[in-house]
Amino acid sequence: MKVKLLVAFGTSLMLMACGQGNEPVPETDTGQNEPEEETSDEETAMHSVYLFFPDENVEELYRVEREVSSDEMEGAIEALNMWLEGPESDEAELTSLTDTSIELQSVEDHDGIAHVSFSPEFLDIQVGSGTEEMLLQQVALIMDQFGYEQTQILIDGESQEQLFGHIQTDEPITAENDPESYELVES
């Protein structure tokens, strides 16, 4: 009987020593932060935005839909860079007024006004007064979708009295129409 009692007592001690008791084992804090879960590209929410391009005869402005990764300033930068790249190949009836040598330098919020700065090559665009208005509206319409009612276009971070000699640009411009009022060209 003593042997059975000793075996039972020994087994109980072994189970307790192995953490098989009824009390939960407290977690130890290592002092290190747990690694954050990585988000996959599939989990990144994309946001629709419209870009604006004229037809080949530069008579009318049309909108095309694109996807950007954010509806914040990062998305506006993505949208403007896509606009500078021009229409996609399956949008052959549309054209770009910009040149691929133009760089978007910065996009900043100044008291609710978007300040969009382009490289000096922006000034090399050859436009008349009507086309200049169309070009300025393209930028204002893109920024309007990101919550900016006014957009100041800059060259090398500086305001210009006139960009192309036809329209005063030392003050912010406003999108004249709702972005969705333009005819959508499907890609």
Side-chain angles (χ1 to χ4, degrees), residues 73 76-77 80 104-109 114-117 143 148:
M73 193 63 77
I77 292 168
L80 287 166
L104 177 65
Q105 295 176 325
S106 65
V107 180
E108 298 174 351
D109 180 323
H115 283 226
V116 179
S117 183
M143 295 310 298
Y148 294 96

Side-chain angles (χ1 to χ4, degrees), residues 4-22:
K4 286 184 181 179
L5 192 55
L6 284 174
V7 170
F9 182 70
T11 304
S12 296
L13 284 175
M14 282 181 27
L15 288 174
M16 287 176 61
C18 292
Q20 299 295 323
N22 292 334

Side-chain angles (χ1 to χ4, degrees), residues 17-18 42 44 71 76 82-83 89 95 103 138 147 149 169 173:
C18 292
E42 294 175 0
T44 301
D71 59 357
M82 285 188 276
W83 172 73
S89 59
T95 190
E103 292 182 27
Q138 290 173 332
E149 292 181 14
T169 55
I173 57 173

Side-chain angles (χ1 to χ4, degrees), residues 37-155:
E37 290 183 32
E38 293 183 27
T39 57
S40 69
D41 291 337
E42 294 175 0
E43 293 176 7
T44 301
M46 298 301 284
H47 303 274
S48 291
V49 66
Y50 296 117
L51 305 182
F52 300 86
F53 299 105
D55 58 49
E56 290 179 322
N57 297 323
V58 192
E59 294 174 352
E60 296 290 328
L61 202 55
Y62 295 87
R63 67 185 163 115
V64 297
E65 189 171 9
R66 296 289 190 275
E67 297 288 321
V68 294
S69 62
S70 172
D71 59 357
E72 303 290 327
M73 193 63 77
E74 298 82 24
I77 292 168
E78 283 180 64
L80 287 166
N81 278 318
M82 285 188 276
W83 172 73
L84 284 172
E85 291 171 10
E88 293 179 352
S89 59
D90 58 347
E91 298 161 345
E93 67 275 9
L94 300 178
T95 190
S96 178
L97 299 175
T98 62
D99 185 296
T100 56
S101 66
I102 298 169
E103 292 182 27
L104 177 65
Q105 295 176 325
S106 65
V107 180
E108 298 174 351
D109 180 323
H110 289 254
D111 298 321
I113 299 172
H115 283 226
V116 179
S117 183
F118 294 102
S119 64
E121 290 81 8
F122 194 81
L123 298 174
D124 295 338
I125 299 172
Q126 299 295 314
V127 294
S129 61
T131 310
E132 179 178 354
E133 177 63 27
M134 189 179 280
L135 178 69
L136 299 176
Q137 281 300 302
Q138 290 173 332
V139 177
L141 285 162
I142 292 169
M143 295 310 298
D144 184 72
Q145 296 171 84
F146 292 91
Y148 294 96
E149 292 181 14
Q150 294 186 310
T151 301
Q152 179 67 57
I153 296 179
L154 309 170
I155 303 299

